[in-house]
Structures are given as C-alpha cells and as structure tokens.
Amino acid sequence: MGTRISGRSRAFLKVQDGCDHACAYCAVTLVRGPSRSVPANEVATALKRIRNAGFEEVVFTGVDISAWGIDIDGEIRDYVDLVEMAAETGIPRIRVSSLEPWEIDPKRIERLAGIEPWCEHFHISLQSAAPYVLERMNRTTDIGKLKEALRELLRQRPRATLGADIIAGFPGEREQDFRQTLRFLDEGPYTLPSCFPIFHTYRHPSGRFHGPSRPGSHYRPRSNVTRRGSKTAQASPAKQCWRRNGNPCRNRWQQWLHAQLSAHEAD
C-alpha cells in the first residue's frame, strides 16, 4: 500500500488503511481488513513531494490514523511522528484526521504542543461518553483519562478546539447515558460536533442488540439535539476565525444545544 495524495489548496496524505478494532456498530474490519501502515520512508518522500508542489498544508488521513506505525517492524512510531516529519519538511500547517480517544494522552499532547506548525485541533471518534454505552459498543475508551488528556491540551494550547463523532440512539442507550454525553461535550471546546443516528445492517453486531433506543424511539430527537447545534456552529461567521481566536462558536453552539434539549424534554 503506497501513499495517496489528493487536494488543491491543502494536501490529503493517506498513510494508513484498515482497522484492528471490533466496534459493534461498524463493519470496516470486514471491508478494509486489518490495520496497515505506510512505511515512514515512503511518508517522508511523499511529504517532500507535497512541499515541493507548493502546498501550504497537509492533512494526514487513514481509516484509523491513530494506529499508524504499530505494525511497522523494528520501529516504535505513532501519529505524532507523522506531524514531526511534516514539520521537519517545512510544511507550514499540519493536521491529523480523526483519532481514537484512547490514543490521546498527556505525553503525546506535550509532544504535539511543541510542534509549531501543528494546527491545534483534535477530531475525536468519541461515539459516546457514557461507560455503559461504550461497553455495549465494544469501545475501550476511558473517559476519565480522556478528560485528563484534554485538560493538558488546553493547558498547553489554550486556543485548541475539538471535534467529535457521536452516535445517537445506540441500542440500550438510556436517557441518563444521553445526558452524560451531552455534559461531556459541554465541558470541552467542542466547536464541531458531528452526530449520527444509529444504522444497523446484518453485518453489524449491534443489529442484534435490543434496548429502549431502537429506531423509531429516541434516536432521532437525540441526534437532532447535537446535529442542529453542529450546523449552527458550522454556519456561523465565527467559523472563519475560531482557529485563530479561540472558541467564538462555543457559546452559540451551547445555546442551541440546550435550547434543543429543552424542546426535546417538552415533547
């Protein structure tokens, strides 16, 4: 598997494919196979091509970018090494696509914070912040450790912002689980939340689950609560400056989030 470069003003560099996880809602492991990383020397060559082509920004992409490097024999590498390689090449702006929450920790954040070209933003494949739901999803996220890591991020980079993927209405998700996820989002600078209603097929183990959040009950209003807030943040003129000036979208997003939750409760 070689590197793939696409994009116009920014370059998207695919350095990983496949996944080793077995999340209950996902069939990626069946479709894409196990995690496979592009070797570091090939990544370095691609980065030089990107810089020589005049790109001012690179975005590292993959099915599970946080797993990059774990299958490379004789090397201990991770996604922070990708950012360091790009910085050494002289690319002015560097981004990393979605990360698994258990691969975000204070040590990696400390390394990233010292890399000036890194755009201080994480998009986290969170899915839920409720331990009960995460266990049903077969996700190993430790919410306490994630909070600790994100506090370190904001200490190192006070203007950092976060995005998160959220699955609404996972089978068995209770009202208290839903609220727990909302509270978690409320605590951090999540300016770009993305919410998806659960969708089952015969390929998904979750399609055999039973619980109060089966399609037709809570999953649509729960999805709308976060999705509408997300659209508001993205449509806001403040989106143009949130990266430079902190989190101007945050308060507006929160206002809409709580307004929609209140409307949901009234129904």
Side-chain angles (χ1 to χ4, degrees):
M1 181 185 68
T3 54
R4 290 195 341 209
I5 303 173
S6 62
R8 293 186 177 182
S9 60
R10 64 172 59 143
F12 293 87
L13 179 58
K14 184 174 181 180
V15 297
Q16 186 273 343
D17 203 354
C19 183
D20 292 332
H21 308 302
C23 300
Y25 52 81
C26 185
V28 166
T29 53
L30 297 175
V31 178
R32 298 295 186 106
S35 178
R36 305 177 301 284
S37 303
V38 173
N41 61 329
E42 293 184 29
V43 174
T45 299
L47 288 170
K48 291 178 182 177
R49 296 206 319 267
I50 288 171
R51 187 69 182 111
N52 293 336
F55 286 102
E56 295 292 312
E57 181 175 327
V58 62
V59 182
F60 289 105
T61 69
V63 171
D64 180 11
I65 192 69
S66 52
W68 181 85
I70 62 175
D71 59 325
I72 299 178
D73 294 334
E75 298 180 272
I76 301 177
R77 292 186 174 273
D78 60 18
Y79 60 90
V80 183
D81 292 306
L82 294 171
V83 179
E84 290 175 341
M85 282 192 286
E88 291 170 1
T89 308
I91 298 174
R93 294 188 299 277
I94 307 163
R95 299 181 188 270
V96 179
S97 61
S98 299
L99 296 172
E100 294 290 6
W102 50 82
E103 296 295 344
I104 300 173
D105 57 61
K107 289 185 178 180
R108 288 190 174 102
I109 286 173
E110 185 175 1
R111 290 170 60 197
L112 284 170
I115 305 172
E116 185 61 30
W118 173 58
C119 295
E120 48 203 6
H121 176 75
F122 279 145
H123 190 88
I124 305 173
S125 299
L126 183 64
Q127 316 309 350
S128 175
Y132 173 76
V133 176
L134 290 169
E135 182 178 359
R136 290 176 67 85
M137 289 179 171
N138 199 29
R139 303 273 291 171
T140 59
T141 307
D142 186 318
I143 294 299
K145 290 183 178 180
L146 179 59
K147 286 182 178 180
E148 178 185 349
L150 297 180
R151 281 195 293 267
E152 179 64 17
L153 170 64
L154 294 176
R155 190 184 73 81
Q156 296 271 357
R157 293 284 190 98
R159 293 183 174 181
T161 56
L162 303 170
D165 294 329
I166 304 294
I167 292 178
F170 190 81
E173 183 186 64
R174 302 161 299 183
E175 188 68 20
Q176 61 263 38
D177 301 320
F178 171 60
R179 290 177 177 277
Q180 190 170 0
T181 298
L182 288 183
R183 284 196 299 271
F184 180 84
L185 294 176
D186 199 35
E187 292 172 359
Y190 288 92
T191 52
L192 296 172
S194 302
C195 188
F196 308 92
I198 186 68
F199 176 76
H200 305 290
T201 75
Y202 71 95
R203 291 177 177 270
H204 301 149
S206 62
R208 299 186 295 271
F209 288 179
H210 296 281
S213 293
R214 301 291 292 175
S217 57
H218 298 306
Y219 83 99
R220 288 195 183 277
R222 289 178 183 176
S223 178
N224 289 339
V225 166
T226 46
R227 182 183 289 120
R228 290 174 186 173
S230 175
K231 287 182 178 179
T232 303
Q234 294 183 37
S236 168
K239 182 189 175 187
Q240 305 304 318
C241 63
W242 67 266
R243 256 282 293 121
R244 299 190 303 274
N245 301 320
N247 309 310
C249 295
R250 183 186 179 195
N251 290 338
R252 182 177 296 186
W253 184 85
Q254 289 176 333
Q255 290 168 6
W256 269 85
L257 179 68
H258 291 301
Q260 295 301 323
L261 178 58
S262 297
H264 166 54
E265 291 175 335
D267 294 338

